[in-house]
């Protein structure tokens, strides 16, 4: 499924990372989705449909059990304690395989482009699925691709600097060792 015009958060889309020392390397990202938006409703419906496909007649009870254990990939931003997130839902996604990353014209992007970055708006391709992991029912979200849609206010840290932003310091003889 595709979710559109959502804000990208915690992007680990160019280089995989570990959640902890015991986990495998994974690409991941979170998306801020406006509460009650079409995307919010579509993701909620997809999670319930995945539960129904996997768990059949027990789907409603299993879904509630997963939700009560804070096991859904979609969480209410208000629960973070950050007032700025009170109007959004946060969708966590990951994949062991590198996601496709493109611009508005569907041209491949690499890390040196500086896009996408935390805080920009993106369209994301995700898969929602339910499964049993070691006897524990789960609903997860796989990250398949990210399309940069438009600039947004960068979240803390912002975009990396471009080499063009630095002044040229070709002559280091001006450095005064006696100044220290």
């Amino acid at each position: 499924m595709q979710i559109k015009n959502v804000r990208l958060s915690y992007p680990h889309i160019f280089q995989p990372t570990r959640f902890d020392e015991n986990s495998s390397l994974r690409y991941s990202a979170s998306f801020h989705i406006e509460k009650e938006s079409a995307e919010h409703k579509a993701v909620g419906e997809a999670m319930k449909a995945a539960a129904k496909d996997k768990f059949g007649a027990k789907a409603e009870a299993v879904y509630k059990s997963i939700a009560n254990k804070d096991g859904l990939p979609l969480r209410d931003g208000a629960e973070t304690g950050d007032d700025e997130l009170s109007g959004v839902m946060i969708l966590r996604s990951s994949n062991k395989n590198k996601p496709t990353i493109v611009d508005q014209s569907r041209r491949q992007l690499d890390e040196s482009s500086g896009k996408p970055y935390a805080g920009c708006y993106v369209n994301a391709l995700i898969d929602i699925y339910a499964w049993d992991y070691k006897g524990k029912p789960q609903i997860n979200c796989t990250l398949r691709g990210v399309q940069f849609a438009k600039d947004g206010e960068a979240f803390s840290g912002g975009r990396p600097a471009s080499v063009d932003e630095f002044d040229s310091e070709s002559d280091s003889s001006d450095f005064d060792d006696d100044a220290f």
Side-chain angles (χ1 to χ4, degrees):
M1 80 181 287
Q2 184 171 191
I3 53 175
K4 292 187 172 194
N5 203 34
V6 296
R7 291 193 76 188
L8 180 63
S9 179
Y10 296 104
H12 299 283
I13 55 179
F14 292 108
Q15 299 294 326
T17 60
R18 296 183 197 283
F19 293 111
D20 60 41
E21 63 187 43
N22 298 320
S23 63
S24 61
L25 287 170
R26 299 188 70 79
Y27 297 89
S28 62
S30 292
F31 304 100
H32 293 191
I33 303 171
E34 293 296 321
K35 283 185 182 178
E36 304 305 322
S37 67
E39 272 64 27
H40 174 202
K41 292 174 184 174
V43 169
E45 290 172 11
M47 289 190 308
K48 289 177 182 174
K52 186 175 182 179
D53 287 346
K54 175 67 179 170
F55 305 114
K58 299 178 185 178
E60 188 174 336
V62 170
Y63 184 88
K64 286 180 182 177
S65 173
I66 295 169
N68 288 339
K69 294 177 184 171
D70 203 23
L72 296 175
L74 185 66
R75 295 187 179 167
D76 189 335
E79 294 173 5
T80 67
D82 185 341
D83 291 338
E84 292 182 22
L85 298 177
S86 64
V88 300
M89 299 298 290
I90 301 170
L91 178 66
R92 296 168 304 157
S93 64
S94 68
N95 195 336
K96 65 181 179 180
N97 298 312
K98 186 175 183 175
T100 301
I101 305 162
V102 298
D103 65 11
Q104 301 98 321
S105 300
R106 299 186 300 184
R107 289 182 299 243
Q108 293 277 110
L109 292 172
D110 62 22
E111 195 167 9
S112 68
S113 71
K115 293 180 181 178
Y117 56 90
C120 75
Y121 290 85
V122 298
N123 302 322
L125 293 172
I126 58 170
D127 287 330
I128 305 276
Y129 64 96
W131 65 311
D132 262 316
Y133 179 71
K134 297 182 180 180
K136 291 180 167 182
Q138 296 184 10
I139 297 176
N140 290 12
C141 180
T142 298
L143 174 62
R144 297 182 43 235
V146 176
Q147 180 183 36
F148 175 80
K150 64 183 179 180
D151 286 311
E153 184 177 334
F155 293 147
S156 63
R159 290 185 289 195
S162 163
V163 294
D164 297 331
E165 294 179 78
F166 292 99
D167 293 332
S168 177
E169 298 291 333
S170 60
D171 184 14
S172 62
S173 63
D174 293 340
F175 185 73
D176 184 5
D177 287 332
D178 295 331
F180 294 97

